[in-house]
Amino acid sequence: MRENSMMTRSDSEEDRSETGLVRLGSLEVDPAVLEGPGTSLWDLISGRKLTLRSPDDLLDLPSQGWRPIFPSWEFIDNPRDVFAAPHPHHRNAWVLVFLHWIGEAWTVSTDPGPVPVRRSTAARRAGLELRWPAEQTATVGTLPESSIDLLNTADHLWTNDVGDHMTVHGWVLGPDGEPLRTGVTIFAHAPPLPDLVPGRRMSLRVNFVSGIEDLAAGRYRVVAELLDLKLQSPPGTLVLTEPTIG
């Protein structure tokens, strides 16, 4: 099993480097790319064959201040570009344009915003840990009713200023130490996380998505992730037992 893959993300080197990013919509970007005057949107997209739902989608957007925040060269098999410009009427908010290469043209969509700048996922989960309270148990052929504790290990109040939710998924680890993932993942709606004072813990339901109903009786290593924060747990134990007869 690869120890690095099982580390709580808030303790990893990658996590520390990501705390300097900011979140813009669904993307996390270096705040440096949001600085400066930007340029014309037409200068950025000129020469491309575009597919638009309506020309007004672009004509109604700011004409200047645009900069690329998600370059297509990182996704050779699925080229995409995202451009951002300051919102004309809201401070510290942005307008976004998305280009996605499909077939022989770039499909264009827009988010006129205002899209606020938020703290990065790594910054929001800093100080939080997931801890298994005990071994998880279930009967073969059933889904376990499992839970995991979310703990604020920091010395200050953790504030849910973005509205991150309680949804936690769990996976069984295979012989190679990697999670056994299914082809279908169900996202159950869960309420937002409450603010947590230092030292407080709360129990969260774990929704297993590894096809546990098909596993034989035995002991299995499992991991969980708080999805909105991409906060991973250390490995825990799931015990599957044969049903009681009589």
Side-chain angles (χ1 to χ4, degrees):
M1 183 181 299
R2 295 184 307 166
E3 291 296 328
N4 288 342
S5 66
M6 295 299 103
M7 290 177 63
T8 302
R9 280 179 177 257
S10 59
D11 294 331
S12 68
E13 292 183 3
E14 178 185 4
D15 209 57
R16 289 193 293 271
S17 67
E18 289 177 351
T19 55
L21 302 178
V22 295
R23 190 169 186 86
L24 193 59
S26 62
L27 302 176
E28 300 203 342
V29 301
D30 186 334
V33 305
L34 302 179
E35 299 175 356
T39 187
S40 163
L41 179 61
W42 301 110
D43 288 344
L44 293 174
I45 65 176
S46 62
R48 306 194 197 205
K49 182 180 179 181
L50 304 178
T51 298
L52 292 169
R53 182 183 60 180
S54 168
D56 292 341
D57 289 346
L58 294 183
L59 293 176
D60 291 341
L61 299 179
S63 60
Q64 297 291 328
W66 293 91
R67 71 285 319 276
I69 63 171
F70 194 77
S72 60
W73 55 263
E74 292 184 359
F75 299 86
I76 298 175
D77 297 332
N78 187 26
R80 289 177 288 168
D81 274 313
V82 182
F83 304 109
H87 194 280
H89 306 301
H90 294 267
R91 184 179 179 182
N92 202 32
W94 296 76
V95 177
L96 303 179
V97 169
F98 306 86
L99 272 65
H100 186 192
W101 179 257
I102 299 179
E104 298 180 352
W106 293 89
T107 297
V108 182
S109 59
T110 65
D111 184 346
V115 180
V117 177
R118 305 287 195 183
R119 293 186 301 149
S120 69
T121 304
R124 299 200 312 276
R125 67 177 172 245
L128 296 180
E129 290 184 9
L130 288 175
R131 296 180 183 177
W132 296 101
E135 289 187 346
Q136 308 295 300
T137 61
T139 303
V140 169
T142 65
L143 278 175
E145 296 183 359
S146 298
S147 63
I148 195 168
D149 290 342
L150 177 67
L151 175 66
N152 180 7
T153 65
D155 59 1
H156 56 271
L157 176 70
W158 180 83
T159 303
N160 188 4
D161 54 355
V162 176
D164 293 308
H165 292 82
M166 297 182 183
T167 304
V168 176
H169 280 181
W171 293 271
V172 175
L173 298 180
D176 59 356
E178 294 297 323
L180 300 177
R181 301 181 184 271
T182 60
V184 177
T185 300
I186 299 175
F187 285 83
H189 178 73
L193 291 161
D195 297 345
L196 296 175
V197 298
R200 182 187 171 187
R201 69 175 65 210
M202 65 175 300
S203 179
L204 299 176
R205 177 183 175 183
V206 179
N207 300 293
F208 278 100
V209 293
S210 287
I212 287 178
E213 304 99 313
D214 300 325
L215 297 177
R219 298 175 66 86
Y220 297 88
R221 301 288 277 169
V222 292
V223 292
E225 181 176 295
L226 182 58
L227 294 187
D228 282 0
L229 295 177
K230 297 182 174 60
L231 178 66
Q232 294 178 352
S233 76
T237 301
L238 172 65
V239 180
L240 296 181
T241 59
E242 296 288 355
T244 301
I245 299 177

